[in-house]
């Protein structure tokens, strides 16, 4: 079965950096787009980034563009999120998620059929 | 960006009754070239990650009970839960996966009356 396990969360000061990792198993990792979605405490879901199956295409929400970098290592079946210039409002649980099966002739679906348990990132002085 | 608006924000329904959650998109999420509606529904229970319920607006994810149904077209969508069970207490989110940035509704909290 699909398993996604995030790591790397923790407490960081404003302006600091953190790198999240997501270890994937149970599916052909290199065949799927992957995404990061976050959830601030007591709030709703915010999609923040995706990366194509090869890693050649990446997209970011405006709220993190220029500060966060998504990457993947298909040989290690791992997804990463490098977070720089962190702000207090980046405090959230960060979920990695697997793209669902794409429709015919498309390379991604944009919905997420498997999610990790999440990694808590707290930005505070 | 496509704005997703859910209604109501919270809902209390008696066990065995029907719950209806609405979701409206600020623009159509119907892709005319393949006639697919790029709308998904998720269920999130406390302390857990979201769980996919429906995609393409009405395609039920494997393992989701058939008392759950998804419907809608264009810009207006509905998640219906028939014969509400105690385990259905959760927050439900819609998401458009038509165009980046993918966006979620604010969530609807479903409780037992």
């Amino acid at each position: 079965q699909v398993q996604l396990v995030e790591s790397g969360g923790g407490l960081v000061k404003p302006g600091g950096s953190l790198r999240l990792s997501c270890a994937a198993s149970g599916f052909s990792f290199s065949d799927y787009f992957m995404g990061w979605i976050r959830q601030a405490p007591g709030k709703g879901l915010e999609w923040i980034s995706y990366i194509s199956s090869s890693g050649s295409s990446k997209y970011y929400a405006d709220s993190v563009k220029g500060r966060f970098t998504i990457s993947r290592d298909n040989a290690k079946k791992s997804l990463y999120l490098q977070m720089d210039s962190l702000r207090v409002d980046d405090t959230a649980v960060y979920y990695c998620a697997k793209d669902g099966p794409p429709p015919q002739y498309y390379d991604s679906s944009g919905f997420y059929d498997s999610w990790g348990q999440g990694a808590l990132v707290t930005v505070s002085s | 960006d496509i704005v997703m608006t859910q209604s109501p924000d919270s809902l209390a329904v008696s066990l065995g009754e029907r719950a209806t959650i609405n979701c409206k998109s600020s623009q159509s999420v119907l892709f005319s070239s393949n006639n697919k509606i790029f709308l998904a529904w998720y269920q999130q229970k406390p302390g857990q990650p979201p769980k996919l319920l429906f995609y393409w607006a009405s395609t039920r994810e494997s393992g989701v009970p058939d008392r759950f149904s998804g419907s809608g077209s264009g810009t207006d969508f509905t998640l219906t839960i028939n014969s509400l069970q105690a385990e259905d207490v959760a927050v439900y989110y819609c998401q458009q996966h038509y165009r980046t940035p993918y966006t979620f509704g604010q969530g609807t909290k479903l409780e037992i009356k």
Side-chain angles (χ1 to χ4, degrees), chain B residues 20-60:
Chain B
T20 301
I21 298 170
N22 301 299
C23 174
K24 188 175 183 65
S25 58
S26 61
Q27 56 187 273
S28 176
V29 295
L30 168 66
F31 200 42
S32 55
S33 66
N34 61 6
N35 208 36
K36 284 191 177 292
I37 300 171
F38 282 57
L39 189 284
W41 287 99
Y42 301 87
Q43 174 194 65
Q44 187 178 32
K45 297 182 179 180
Q48 295 184 19
K51 172 189 172 184
L52 177 67
L53 297 177
F54 291 92
Y55 51 97
W56 313 130
S58 60
T59 301
R60 189 182 293 108

Side-chain angles (χ1 to χ4, degrees), chain A residues 1-28:
Chain A
Q1 73 282 17
V2 174
Q3 194 167 11
L4 299 168
V5 179
E6 301 95 339
S7 60
L11 175 64
V12 61
K13 287 182 167 51
S17 297
L18 212 55
R19 189 195 196 207
L20 301 181
S21 300
C22 172
S25 60
F27 67 103
S28 182

Side-chain angles (χ1 to χ4, degrees), chain A residues 39 95 106 109-112 116, chain B residues 31 33 42 44 49 55 95 97:
Chain A
Q39 187 170 35
Y95 296 103
Y106 291 82
S109 67
F111 62 86
Y112 297 99
Chain B
F31 200 42
S33 66
Y42 301 87
Q44 187 178 32
Y55 51 97
Q95 178 219 346
H97 50 103

Side-chain angles (χ1 to χ4, degrees), chain A residues 29-94:
Chain A
F29 181 73
S30 60
D31 287 342
Y32 289 92
F33 279 48
M34 297 292 293
W36 286 101
I37 299 98
R38 70 183 179 183
Q39 187 170 35
K43 302 298 184 182
L45 300 168
E46 179 188 15
W47 175 89
I48 58 172
S49 184
Y50 82 59
I51 187 169
S52 64
S53 52
S54 68
S56 61
S57 177
K58 305 172 185 180
Y59 196 94
Y60 302 93
D62 285 347
S63 58
V64 305
K65 195 176 298 180
R67 300 187 299 120
F68 290 12
T69 303
I70 191 171
S71 62
R72 66 190 295 162
D73 184 332
N74 284 343
K76 293 183 177 179
K77 297 184 180 180
S78 292
L79 176 72
Y80 306 101
L81 186 67
Q82 176 66 40
M83 302 183 292
D84 298 319
S85 303
L86 282 160
R87 308 189 299 222
V88 172
D89 62 357
D90 292 319
T91 295
V93 173
Y94 285 74

Side-chain angles (χ1 to χ4, degrees), chain B:
Chain B
D1 297 1
I2 298 176
V3 177
M4 307 300 291
T5 304
Q6 291 181 227
S7 61
D9 290 335
S10 63
L11 182 61
V13 175
S14 301
L15 290 173
E17 297 300 306
R18 176 182 298 170
T20 301
I21 298 170
N22 301 299
C23 174
K24 188 175 183 65
S25 58
S26 61
Q27 56 187 273
S28 176
V29 295
L30 168 66
F31 200 42
S32 55
S33 66
N34 61 6
N35 208 36
K36 284 191 177 292
I37 300 171
F38 282 57
L39 189 284
W41 287 99
Y42 301 87
Q43 174 194 65
Q44 187 178 32
K45 297 182 179 180
Q48 295 184 19
K51 172 189 172 184
L52 177 67
L53 297 177
F54 291 92
Y55 51 97
W56 313 130
S58 60
T59 301
R60 189 182 293 108
E61 173 72 336
S62 176
V64 174
D66 60 9
R67 64 177 182 275
F68 288 84
S69 63
S71 63
S73 61
T75 60
D76 292 276
F77 308 95
T78 300
L79 174 68
T80 302
I81 309 170
N82 288 311
S83 188
L84 188 73
Q85 305 295 303
E87 61 263 33
D88 300 335
V89 168
V91 179
Y92 293 84
Y93 295 92
C94 60
Q95 178 219 346
Q96 64 83 15
H97 50 103
Y98 178 81
R99 175 182 298 151
T100 52
Y102 302 137
T103 45
F104 293 86
Q106 79 276 19
T108 295
K109 186 174 185 179
L110 176 59
E111 299 173 313
I112 303 296
K113 186 187 292 182

